[in-house]
Amino acid sequence: MSESTFSCVPEPAPRPEPAAEGPFAACVLCQEPTEYPESAKGITLCPVCEWQEAERTACSG
């Protein structure tokens, strides 16, 4: 893999569509309501935890 095609940022996981109205899923980290419906599959994060997780996984260099 050449340096120009290498990226340490993984492809983002597909995210469910935000719900227009409740009930909303709880964040798996802080239990605050998210913008996703309860029926959303996978890990649901509130906007604050989602931003903090992106910050933790970003490239450091």
Side-chain angles (χ1 to χ4, degrees):
M1 192 181 304
S2 71
E3 206 171 306
S4 63
T5 60
F6 179 75
S7 174
C8 64
V9 179
E11 288 292 318
R15 294 179 13 185
E17 291 295 319
E21 49 188 66
F24 297 100
C27 175
V28 297
L29 299 177
C30 70
Q31 302 306 309
E32 290 294 318
T34 66
E35 58 186 12
Y36 305 113
E38 278 187 343
S39 62
K41 303 250 190 259
I43 297 173
T44 54
L45 299 174
C46 70
V48 172
C49 290
E50 195 169 305
W51 180 82
Q52 290 173 341
E53 184 66 21
E55 189 176 63
R56 277 193 291 272
T57 58
C59 292
S60 60

